[in-house]
């Protein structure tokens, strides 16, 4: 095993609160292990276009609490081509980078897996996505903050929904995953939660709303993940309008506000711990893996698995959430 002297760190895909805390942890852990760090700008784009600058401990001062990513992020189509990856590899060699830490979701790990397979280049991944949809970790960096953002928005929407006796359909992020919808729906007492993972029959939706709407509180909240089987909130509104023509049904799409803001304490701690373990793992010969935390234990999961397998979804929690809100 050759000693690692210099690593690159990048953030890729949709940004997530806590990415900066992860970058800080990677830089400080590297310094602890006497390793230099280059910060790669804009994810894989920065590898291909050679945009890498040294990151000192000083450079990551005062960022643990900041949302977004100081390294910027991108979804890079060029990196999907063999030519793009070849150029990236040449730039890594030119800059004498021995290994990479990539922070992102399954798209990020798909790219990382390829450079590991094609060039034998050591890469360790950190799970950074608000979606929490990665196998190999109980929680991804950014998820807790996003859920808290949604809950504080829905609490406010509930105030006005109650005042006006309205039904609100609130759309949250999650193209393929309902983790944000489920947790925020439970925490905000939503009358119904629609997610991509489970089927919800229209009559169930209608029944839940009928139960929720009564003399004491003639308002209701439906949380819908953007990738639900009916589509997003606009589609669900049409269904609700057809069955509740006497109600004023409104839509609120929370959108990218869910990806911003200061990371929660939970996300900062998760990012710090995993960031440290990523660098330590590299010094111990780990590569081609994502570092996660399962039942509070550090677990390295091969990229193949992290990408291919689906994190199991707690259907019982969804049922409980709806029983409790009725
Ligand atoms: O992967 C994170 C995520 O925020 C998803 O929940 C959402 O569907 C997607 O990114 C939006 O991506 P973009 O900002 O590129 O539209």
């Amino acid at each position: 095993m050759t000693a690692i002297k210099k690593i690159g760190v990048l953030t890729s895909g949709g940004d997530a609160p806590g990415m900066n805390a992860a970058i800080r942890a990677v830089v400080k852990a590297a310094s602890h292990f006497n390793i230099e760090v280059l910060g790669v700008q804009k994810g894989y784009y920065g590898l291909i276009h050679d945009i890498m600058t040294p990151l000192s401990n000083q450079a990551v001062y005062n960022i643990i609490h900041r949302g977004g990513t100081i390294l910027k992020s991108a979804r890079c189509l060029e990196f999907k081509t063999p030519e793009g990856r070849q150029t990236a590899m040449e730039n890594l060699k030119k800059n004498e980078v021995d290994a990479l830490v990539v922070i992102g979701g399954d798209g990020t790990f798909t790219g990382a897996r390829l450079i590991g397979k094609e060039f034998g280049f050591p890469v360790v991944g950190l799970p950074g996505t608000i979606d929490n949809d990665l196998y190999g970790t109980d929680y991804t960096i950014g998820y807790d903050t996003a859920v808290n953002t949604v809950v504080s928005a829905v609490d406010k929407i509930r105030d006005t929904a109650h005042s006006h006796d309205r039904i609100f359909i609130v759309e949250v992020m999650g193209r393929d995953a309902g983790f944000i919808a489920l947790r925020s729906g439970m925490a905000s007492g939503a009358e119904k939660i629609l997610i991509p993972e489970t089927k919800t029959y229209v009559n169930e939706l209608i029944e839940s709303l009928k139960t929720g709407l009564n003399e004491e509180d003639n308002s209701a909240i439906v949380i819908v993940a953007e990738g639900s089987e009916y589509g997003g909130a606009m589609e669900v509104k049409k269904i609700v309008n057809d069955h509740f023509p006497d109600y004023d049904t409104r839509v609120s799409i929370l959108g990218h506000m869910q990806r911003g803001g200061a990371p929660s304490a939970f996300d900062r701690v998760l990012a710090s711990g995993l960031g440290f373990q990523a660098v330590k793992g590299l010094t111990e010969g780990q590569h081609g893996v994502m570092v996660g935390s399962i039942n509070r234990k550090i677990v390295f999961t091969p990229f193949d698995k992290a990408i291919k397998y689906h994190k199991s979804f707690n259907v019982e929690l969804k049922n409980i959430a709806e029983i409790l809100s009725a």
Side-chain angles (χ1 to χ4, degrees):
M1 197 169 69
T2 48
I4 290 174
K5 296 195 194 75
K6 198 192 276 186
I7 60 172
V9 59
L10 61 83
T11 48
S12 160
D15 63 349
M19 280 184 162
N20 280 328
I23 295 165
R24 170 184 178 270
V26 167
V27 170
K28 294 210 162 193
S31 156
H32 172 78
F33 291 109
N34 289 319
I35 297 171
E36 279 177 63
V37 183
L38 288 188
V40 183
Q41 291 281 321
K42 297 190 181 178
Y44 293 121
Y45 177 92
L47 285 186
I48 296 173
H49 296 275
D50 196 12
I51 322 173
M52 313 181 203
T53 44
L55 278 183
S56 62
N57 281 353
Q58 196 60 31
V60 294
Y61 170 72
N62 214 8
I63 66 166
I64 192 168
H65 61 295
R66 280 171 55 193
T69 157
I70 59 163
L71 292 176
K72 296 187 180 271
S73 192
R75 302 189 199 273
C76 178
L77 292 178
E78 268 175 293
F79 199 71
K80 292 191 174 169
T81 67
E83 298 75 24
R85 293 194 292 277
Q86 181 64 42
T87 310
M89 199 47 52
E90 283 159 17
N91 286 330
L92 283 167
K93 272 202 189 128
K94 190 177 91 187
N95 288 287
E96 298 177 328
V97 176
D98 303 311
L100 270 181
V101 175
V102 298
I103 309 169
D106 52 4
T108 306
F109 299 155
T110 303
R113 179 185 157 274
L114 283 174
I115 51 171
K117 291 250 178 307
E118 292 169 352
F119 306 98
F121 195 81
V123 188
V124 168
L126 285 174
T129 164
I130 63 165
D131 292 342
N132 199 34
D133 58 345
L134 288 170
Y135 180 86
T137 191
D138 290 337
Y139 297 105
T140 57
I141 298 161
Y143 170 63
D144 181 67
T145 308
V147 167
N148 281 299
T149 300
V150 171
V151 171
S152 89
V154 175
D155 287 349
K156 293 179 176 103
I157 290 170
R158 205 179 260 290
D159 288 344
T160 177
H162 182 77
S163 305
H164 290 268
D165 289 343
R166 283 174 173 163
I167 301 172
F168 266 83
I169 319 292
V170 181
E171 181 180 307
V172 302
M173 278 190 168
R175 266 189 298 230
D176 310 303
F179 292 98
I180 296 177
L182 174 59
R183 205 166 181 82
S184 61
M186 185 155 200
S188 57
E191 276 66 27
K192 198 73 192 169
I193 302 165
L194 303 180
I195 53 175
E197 290 89 342
T198 58
K199 186 159 184 61
T200 304
Y201 294 98
V202 169
N203 65 325
E204 285 172 22
L205 168 65
I206 304 313
E207 281 315 308
S208 298
L209 285 176
K210 275 190 187 150
T211 318
L213 298 166
N214 51 55
E215 268 174 28
E216 276 116 68
D217 185 3
N218 203 14
S219 68
I221 303 279
V222 177
I223 303 264
V224 50
E226 60 186 334
S228 94
E229 70 191 287
Y230 299 110
M234 296 308 284
E235 285 73 26
V236 174
K237 179 182 191 277
K238 284 183 203 141
I239 300 171
V240 173
N241 272 344
D242 287 346
H243 291 82
F244 296 89
D246 299 335
Y247 277 83
D248 191 0
T249 299
R250 298 297 178 101
V251 161
S252 188
I253 299 174
L254 300 186
H256 287 80
M257 69 179 292
Q258 294 163 88
R259 289 228 300 252
S264 64
F266 181 92
D267 276 330
R268 295 180 203 190
V269 173
L270 180 70
S272 300
L274 294 184
F276 179 86
Q277 295 293 348
V279 178
K280 182 166 176 272
L282 279 171
T283 65
E284 292 167 353
Q286 291 282 358
H287 57 89
V289 291
M290 179 195 89
V291 56
S293 167
I294 300 177
N295 290 333
R296 294 201 281 170
K297 292 226 158 49
I298 294 301
V299 178
F300 291 92
T301 302
F303 286 139
D304 283 340
K305 265 190 164 181
I307 296 160
K308 194 169 138 208
Y309 292 173
H310 287 287
K311 178 185 267 171
S312 60
F313 193 83
N314 194 340
V315 180
E316 201 189 354
L317 199 66
K318 178 172 176 278
N319 296 336
I320 294 172
E322 291 176 356
I323 291 168
L324 297 184
S325 70

